Amino acid sequence: MFDAAKLKAIVGEDWVVTDRSQMERYLVDETYTGLIMQPADDVIVVKPVNAEEISRIMKLANEDGFFVYPRGGGTGVCAGAIPTRSGVVLSLERLDKVLEVDRENLMAVAEAGVTLAQLLEAVEAEDLLFPPHPGDEGAQVGGMVACNAGGTRAVKYGVVRNYVKGLEVVLPTGEVVVMGGKLLKNNTGLDLMHLLIDSEGILGIITKVIFRLYPKFAGPATLVVSFDDRHSAIRSVPRILQSGVIPMAIEYVDRELMEDTARYLGTNWPVTKGNAHLIVIVTGTTEDDVYEQCQTVSDVCESNGAVDTLIAESREEQAHILHIRSEESMTYKAELAEILDVTVPPATVGDMMDAVEKLASHYATKIPMVAHAGDGNFHPHLMAELKERGLDKEVKRRIYAKAIELGGVISGEHGIGKTRLGEIDMCLDAKSLELMRGLKQLFDPNGVLSPDSAIR
Ligand SMILES: Cc1cc2nc3c(=O)[nH]c(=O)nc-3n(C[C@H](O)[C@H](O)[C@H](O)COP(=O)(O)OP(=O)(O)OC[C@H]3O[C@@H](n4cnc5c(N)ncnc54)[C@H](O)[C@@H]3O)c2cc1C
């Protein structure tokens, strides 16, 4: 059991919250309405300022036997940061410094509690680029690494894992370990750093991250390509990639969903033709390069049935389109049970969407869909009414089964957290699960860090 006095002795009186009314925002995250988990009654929030304090807290957790829940920006969508058992919420918010933007090595060093917005500001001030962009800039650097966040830019630039070069981590047993460095090559021993990336807070607390950066690109330009039907839109995706253009993002959206979202936001979706859209974002080395890529994408789509293409070049116009796209999950929030995160081989996204559409019609429900179509990651929206009819789990499992049949997985970017634990063994074999449990036991012999998350 935790002792508030001992925790105050480590972090200082002001950085321990014991009053429930002051800790509400630490007890929730952005998990979808239908999956929200109840936090335990007996919880305390501590806000250490550095790895050394975190190390002392973890040693105390092992001695006194209490659970610790690392918390970043609280933007996770599968309840990973929610303290469902009595214990300590360990907020990283005071580790909030961008320590260095190193132009010579093209690297940034940031403490774990730096938000994506802060990181982007620091990097852009040096005219450099940190390419990944998961949708909520309130996410913290440590949380993005712990979840290996993805986002729309993954087609060209990959996910957060591709940018992590070094980590400082406090292990569950309290030792501080440095993994990697400002290195582009490192084959020295087993790669513990990549094990920590996407460990969802169960193998260690990330306190510092070294990210690789790139020079800023020209552009970008955003195309909204309209098709009469989804099949033509999805069929165009591999054709775009085969043309030699690798866009930063290729997103599939239903026009109806974008119009609903725009209405919800009090604005207009700028495209009126076609029912199915691809949002394609291209970047290049020069403006001419960007223009040529736009032309190629437009030609490829036209020969695959596109009925219209809008090319947005001004910052405002592009921001407007992306704002509507990134807010879509808010439109139906009250009516949503859950948004799934299945990923399939990119060329099978169309088959996956057909299967989901069939299920929607079989269960007489609507399942709105958006897809990071260029990387096969796809978010069917299950509505609350399905849950009210007691059918949400059945539909979810059928969607998962189809994804797995196509060679896919149940989560591509959001992770397992607590909400997908029930289905993890649908796509991981018994031996893999056993190895994962063994690693957890090795890192955290007393099981104090983030119980009931990521593996079971
Ligand atoms: C509007 C919206 C859009 C989103 N879009 C995307 C998207 O496009 N792509 C995508 O991948 N995700 C997306 N997300 C999900 C979310 O932003 C990411 O998962 C993000 O990486 C979570 O970071 P966080 O700091 O908020 O973590 P939290 O929610 O605080 O925590 C998430 C998990 O990470 C662990 N954790 C947090 N910090 C640390 C640390 N320092 N050390 C160890 N473990 C830690 C927690 O224990 C928890 O298990 C979106 C969320 C929202 C609300």
Side-chain angles (χ1 to χ4, degrees):
M1 181 61 190
F2 59 80
D3 176 342
K6 288 186 186 172
L7 291 163
K8 285 179 184 171
I10 296 173
V11 299
E13 185 97 15
D14 291 348
W15 304 110
V16 176
V17 185
T18 52
D19 180 348
R20 188 82 175 185
S21 67
Q22 312 236 313
M23 66 172 78
E24 289 305 324
R25 72 186 178 92
Y26 296 95
L27 304 178
V28 293
D29 63 5
E30 294 291 335
T31 300
Y32 306 110
T33 325
L35 298 171
I36 287 176
M37 302 223 157
Q38 276 309 310
D41 291 333
D42 200 5
V43 171
I44 193 169
V45 179
V46 294
K47 305 179 185 181
V49 75
N50 55 32
E52 196 250 318
E53 288 185 0
I54 297 173
S55 160
R56 290 172 62 196
I57 294 166
M58 293 317 300
K59 285 180 180 157
L60 189 63
N62 283 276
E63 281 158 23
D64 288 2
F66 57 82
F67 296 119
V68 175
Y69 293 88
R71 182 183 176 86
T75 68
V77 289
C78 39
I82 298 183
T84 44
R85 297 203 208 183
S86 165
V88 169
V89 173
L90 190 146
S91 170
L92 276 300
E93 70 197 72
R94 289 176 69 215
L95 281 78
D96 61 355
K97 286 167 207 65
V98 177
L99 299 170
E100 194 187 355
V101 177
D102 176 349
R103 290 186 63 84
E104 295 303 307
N105 284 306
L106 288 174
M107 304 264 176
V109 185
E111 292 186 317
V114 166
T115 61
L116 175 59
Q118 284 174 285
L119 179 71
L120 293 177
E121 193 184 331
V123 166
E124 281 164 17
E126 292 292 327
D127 237 13
L128 294 173
L129 171 74
F130 174 68
H133 196 277
D136 192 323
E137 292 188 5
Q140 292 179 1
V141 157
M144 292 192 313
V145 175
C147 297
N148 185 28
T152 51
R153 294 180 179 179
V155 185
K156 185 168 188 170
Y157 295 110
V159 295
V160 164
R161 180 187 296 284
N162 303 67
Y163 296 87
V164 181
K165 295 296 160 194
L167 293 180
E168 178 188 81
V169 177
V170 179
L171 297 180
T173 37
E175 298 88 344
V176 182
V177 178
V178 173
M179 302 168 179
K182 289 181 182 173
L183 303 168
L184 295 179
K185 290 183 168 178
N186 180 358
N187 277 354
T188 313
L190 294 184
D191 201 333
L192 297 177
M193 185 184 81
H194 278 282
L195 193 55
L196 261 292
I197 300 169
D198 194 27
S199 61
E200 298 193 43
I202 69 165
L203 297 183
I205 300 174
I206 296 157
T207 48
K208 202 184 286 176
V209 183
I210 302 175
F211 284 122
R212 183 177 193 179
L213 305 175
Y214 283 85
K216 243 185 184 166
F217 45 63
T222 300
L223 297 86
V224 183
V225 192
S226 306
F227 299 82
D228 279 334
D229 64 279
R230 200 188 65 228
H231 291 94
S232 315
I234 292 296
R235 219 179 23 241
S236 303
V237 175
R239 304 287 163 266
I240 295 171
L241 296 171
Q242 285 156 6
S243 76
V245 176
I246 306 292
M248 177 162 89
I250 309 180
E251 299 284 293
Y252 169 84
V253 291
D254 289 329
R255 177 160 69 100
E256 193 186 342
L257 180 56
M258 290 300 99
E259 285 177 345
D260 285 352
T261 309
R263 239 188 321 278
Y264 165 83
L265 295 170
T267 181
N268 289 316
W269 179 242
V271 184
T272 49
K273 287 191 188 153
N275 298 315
H277 300 320
L278 291 181
I279 303 175
V280 184
I281 308 178
V282 294
T283 60
T285 45
T286 61
E287 280 182 19
D288 284 349
D289 178 23
V290 172
Y291 176 77
E292 271 174 36
Q293 292 185 54
C294 287
Q295 198 53 52
T296 306
V297 171
S298 175
D299 291 348
V300 168
C301 290
E302 211 173 294
S303 60
N304 281 280
V307 293
D308 195 27
T309 300
L310 175 142
I311 302 183
E313 286 173 84
S314 77
R315 245 174 188 270
E316 296 72 29
E317 220 182 341
Q318 295 188 70
H320 178 68
I321 291 165
L322 295 181
H323 178 55
I324 298 172
R325 161 64 187 91
S326 64
E327 290 293 320
E328 67 65 35
S329 62
M330 296 296 145
T331 316
Y332 294 132
K333 201 168 182 197
E335 296 167 64
L336 266 182
E338 182 177 3
I339 296 182
L340 308 184
D341 181 36
V342 291
T343 298
V344 291
T348 64
V349 168
D351 297 341
M352 189 66 224
M353 289 177 120
D354 286 348
V356 172
E357 205 167 65
K358 256 195 199 156
L359 284 171
S361 131
H362 177 78
Y363 287 97
T365 186
K366 73 173 170 185
I367 307 184
M369 303 185 246
V370 294
H372 304 305
D375 44 41
N377 184 201
F378 160 67
H379 300 307
H381 297 26
L382 302 188
M383 308 308 278
E385 64 80 25
L386 209 49
K387 191 177 169 73
E388 280 153 24
R389 289 193 278 145
L391 290 169
D392 55 321
K393 285 202 176 74
E394 185 176 319
V395 174
K396 175 161 62 178
R397 287 185 81 87
R398 289 188 70 175
I399 292 176
Y400 284 171
K402 181 67 192 179
I404 292 161
E405 182 197 316
L406 291 170
V409 289
I410 65 171
S411 175
E413 58 177 14
H414 295 158
I416 299 299
K418 298 183 178 69
T419 59
R420 297 197 172 98
L421 272 182
E423 291 88 22
I424 192 170
D425 46 10
M426 285 182 77
C427 69
L428 291 178
D429 60 61
K431 188 66 196 174
S432 301
L433 282 167
E434 184 192 319
L435 288 169
M436 289 180 197
R437 279 185 216 113
L439 284 167
K440 169 67 175 165
Q441 173 68 23
L442 187 66
F443 274 75
D444 186 9
N446 296 317
V448 293
L449 191 62
S450 298
D452 312 320
S453 262
I455 51 164
R456 64 177 181 139

